[in-house]
Amino acid sequence: MKKILIILLTLSGCIGEDIVFDEVSSEIRLTNPLVSLEISTSYQFEYMLLNNVGEEVIPDELIWQSSDESILTIDADGLALAVDYGSVIITFTAMLGESITASTFEFEITDETVITRTERFGVLKSTSSYTLEGDFDLSEEGDNLLLTFESNYVADTGLPGLYVYLSNNPNSITNAYEIGVVTKFSGAHSYTISGVDLYDYSYVLYFCKPFNVRVGDGEIKDN
Amino acid sequence: MRKLIGFILLTSISLASNADGGWPKPKGKGYYKLSQWWLVSDRHFTSSGNIDPNSTRGTFTTSFYAEHGLTNRLTGIVYLPFLTRTYENTQISGTTGQVTEKGEALNSFGDTDIGIKYGLSKPGGKFVASATLMLGLPTGNARGGSDGSFQTGDGEFNQLIQFDLSKSFSIGSIPAFGTIYSGFNNRTNNYSDEVRFGGELGGAFANEKIWFITKLNIVESLKNGATAAEGGGSIFANNTEFASYTFEAAYYFNKTFGLSASYSSAFSGEIIFADPAYSVGLFLDIK
């Protein structure tokens, strides 16, 4: 009997491999941006470098540059000093192997340091045949984040195992933060998220676990 | 998918060779079959009837099926999927080549069907009408694997009542038969009930050593149960609909022993895999 079972199992299917197309553009971004910096004060910029699958990596080298050193100076560690009033652009360039990733950020030197971006926004869109739509915002609430969906939110109820994530790669949940299984399929609702900062992720991602496919997503933007 | 498996196997009651449709087995006679059924799919019909991709999943079922005449009008039926294997492929990043999710498989007993078929018309009539009651027993695993989505059963007890109307005839010198059927599948545990209907047409060649059979099967969900989302991670367990066709060939090595093979695919569907299913089997047809 045991031999027969072994033969039947041999005749049955073996686990193969699926190739997942999960490439995204590498990205470097500030995780503590500001609107304005008080003159004659310093500010330590922090950043996050993401590789071509949305995984956070440490660069081999990072270069900080100021567009006008008469307004702002910035050292090799990202420590900026406001020298004079005016608008300035910092450029930060990361090198990892042969990959070079750069980004810029513009802000003002004024009489007051203002960090007002405590909220970000987005619009869900379906990337599949399943319904997914609605506006959302991601905001700081004490030490937590609050992900709030507006009353125009609709998700398909015909899909098994639908989960919501925060991700830096809309094609994959590999390095994503799992918020939880979706239990609300229409109307306003919210999720409280702990241990995550406002600029850690760039997408709200809806993903069907059993099918291993993206259902839809919404890019998280500043406005 | 499970219901497609169940349905195809259940309705293969009437197709497996020249056996039956609406014909009950004479007392002491029977049809017995050992078969392998499989489906591998990387796409599915969505709830709106479109086709979307999914990670590759496969199901292989080895089963024993029997119809046995208890009297000349009453036939006992059993379907035993004694080995069902369901698996999902390993997911590999196309960018890094690394494994993003390890593949997984589950081997277990599947859901069993037992039932009776009763001949409503007198044997020897122009048309043969019969009624079948099948009970679907939740002997499989409805929530297997690391995420509960590896299923060899649906976890519910269902009762199918089906009526068949069959007729044998000739097309020139070719012996043939036709059957139409309709049925209602009452499902429990908040699963939606189903209406089923379809038909089949078969003909014999080479002195009835070879039979070719084609079938049409339609399942309509009443969608009066829970949604797929409310069913957690279960795949294709509820609100499944499809219209499918099957081509089957059966070859008799002698009067009673033969080999059959089939190909099934769906014209349309909802919440069901969108790739074809295959089966091969050895049967014993004692007339």
Side-chain angles (χ1 to χ4, degrees):
Chain A
M1 186 63 187
K2 192 176 178 182
K3 282 183 179 175
I4 293 172
L5 282 174
I6 290 170
I7 291 168
L8 291 173
L9 279 171
T10 304
L11 290 172
S12 296
C14 297
I15 297 171
E17 293 181 347
D18 288 345
I19 303 300
V20 179
F21 297 100
D22 57 355
E23 185 169 11
V24 292
S25 298
S26 58
E27 177 193 359
I28 186 168
R29 63 168 173 256
L30 295 180
T31 56
N32 60 342
L34 41 67
V35 174
S36 64
L37 179 62
E38 182 183 354
I39 192 164
S40 301
T41 63
S42 61
Y43 187 77
Q44 177 62 57
F45 283 105
E46 294 170 0
Y47 72 96
M48 177 183 283
L49 176 64
L50 302 163
N51 65 10
N52 59 356
V53 290
E55 178 187 15
E56 186 176 6
V57 288
I58 305 299
D60 298 330
E61 186 180 358
L62 185 66
I63 298 170
W64 297 89
Q65 293 174 300
S66 169
S67 62
D68 189 342
E69 294 206 339
S70 67
I71 297 175
L72 181 96
T73 62
I74 189 164
D75 68 12
D77 296 322
L79 181 64
L81 176 64
V83 179
D84 199 358
Y85 294 100
S87 180
V88 68
I89 298 170
I90 59 169
T91 301
F92 38 110
T93 305
M95 277 151 284
L96 180 63
E98 296 180 354
S99 171
I100 299 174
T101 308
S103 188
T104 60
F105 181 71
E106 184 174 5
F107 60 100
E108 302 284 331
I109 307 301
T110 65
D111 289 324
E112 185 182 16
T113 296
V114 179
I115 303 172
T116 59
R117 286 179 180 144
T118 57
E119 192 171 23
R120 303 176 74 198
F121 309 89
V123 179
L124 288 178
K125 66 179 191 309
S126 175
T127 56
S128 64
S129 298
Y130 295 97
T131 302
L132 181 69
E133 59 189 29
D135 299 330
F136 66 86
D137 66 78
L138 184 65
S139 59
E140 291 179 339
E141 190 173 81
D143 293 334
N144 298 322
L145 293 182
L146 193 66
L147 176 62
T148 304
F149 293 93
E150 306 298 334
S151 58
N152 61 355
Y153 161 87
V154 180
D156 203 311
T157 59
L159 193 64
L162 182 62
Y163 282 72
V164 59
Y165 295 84
L166 294 175
S167 176
N168 287 309
N169 184 342
N171 303 316
S172 171
I173 58 171
T174 300
N175 298 294
Y177 177 92
E178 181 179 308
I179 297 171
V181 65
V182 174
T183 56
K184 297 284 186 184
F185 296 90
S186 65
H189 63 287
S190 61
Y191 298 95
T192 299
I193 302 163
S194 58
V196 176
D197 291 326
L198 190 62
Y199 282 87
D200 283 354
Y201 294 98
S202 51
Y203 291 92
V204 171
L205 174 62
Y206 277 72
F207 200 86
C208 175
K209 269 192 180 180
F211 291 158
N212 255 309
V213 292
R214 172 173 52 155
V215 176
D217 59 54
E219 187 174 359
I220 307 169
K221 298 180 177 178
D222 284 338
N223 46 47
Chain B
M1 181 185 65
R2 158 66 189 96
K3 294 319 291 178
L4 177 60
I5 297 169
F7 182 66
I8 287 172
L9 289 166
L10 195 59
T11 51
S12 67
I13 290 165
S14 60
L15 68 80
S17 65
N18 59 339
D20 298 335
W23 286 274
K25 287 293 177 189
K27 183 178 181 181
K29 309 298 182 185
Y31 179 84
Y32 315 92
K33 186 176 183 180
L34 180 68
S35 66
Q36 177 85 355
W37 180 99
W38 69 97
L39 181 150
V40 177
S41 185
D42 61 1
R43 57 197 186 130
H44 66 279
F45 289 104
T46 69
S47 56
S48 58
N50 294 307
I51 294 177
D52 270 12
N54 52 260
S55 54
T56 303
R57 287 194 176 235
T59 298
F60 291 74
T61 297
T62 309
S63 66
F64 174 71
Y65 171 77
E67 291 180 40
H68 185 80
L70 303 174
T71 71
N72 282 338
R73 296 178 76 164
L74 187 64
T75 296
I77 303 166
V78 63
Y79 164 65
L80 283 174
F82 57 89
L83 178 62
T84 296
R85 174 178 174 82
T86 181
Y87 72 89
E88 180 184 37
N89 274 1
T90 295
Q91 306 299 297
I92 306 284
S93 167
T95 307
T96 65
Q98 294 177 334
V99 172
T100 59
E101 185 178 321
K102 197 167 167 29
E104 194 171 346
L106 171 72
N107 303 311
S108 85
F109 206 92
D111 276 2
T112 299
D113 295 318
I114 59 170
I116 52 171
K117 178 190 292 187
Y118 183 73
L120 300 173
S121 55
K122 287 183 179 176
K126 275 189 172 181
F127 288 90
V128 175
S130 65
T132 302
L133 172 65
M134 293 297 293
L135 305 177
L137 310 179
T139 50
N141 188 336
R143 300 286 298 169
S146 60
D147 64 357
S149 71
F150 291 77
Q151 301 156 275
T152 59
D154 55 18
E156 60 97 19
F157 170 59
N158 63 285
Q159 311 92 41
L160 170 69
I161 296 175
Q162 180 173 312
F163 294 94
D164 288 74
L165 184 64
S166 299
K167 180 174 172 54
S168 58
F169 54 92
S170 295
I171 305 172
S173 61
I174 299 171
F177 73 96
T179 294
I180 55 173
Y181 74 87
S182 63
F184 180 80
N185 188 22
N186 181 57
R187 305 183 72 193
T188 57
N189 286 1
N190 220 12
Y191 282 80
S192 295
D193 301 324
E194 296 166 338
V195 175
R196 301 174 170 195
F197 48 98
E200 65 182 288
L201 197 61
F205 301 86
N207 201 24
E208 299 192 23
K209 285 180 80 74
I210 300 173
W211 284 80
F212 292 111
I213 302 157
T214 183
K215 296 183 53 180
L216 173 69
N217 295 311
I218 296 170
V219 172
E220 290 287 328
S221 171
L222 299 186
K223 296 182 177 171
N224 55 354
T227 63
E230 291 166 339
S234 299
I235 300 179
F236 303 145
N238 203 6
N239 300 325
T240 291
E241 294 188 350
F242 63 86
S244 73
Y245 60 92
T246 297
F247 297 117
E248 174 152 342
Y251 177 76
Y252 281 75
F253 297 115
N254 55 37
K255 292 268 183 204
T256 57
F257 184 59
L259 171 73
S260 70
S262 76
Y263 169 94
S264 299
S265 189
F267 297 111
S268 62
E270 291 182 19
I271 320 293
I272 192 168
F273 281 132
D275 282 301
Y278 305 87
S279 77
V280 291
L282 293 170
F283 63 83
L284 199 59
D285 188 6
I286 300 172
K287 298 173 182 171

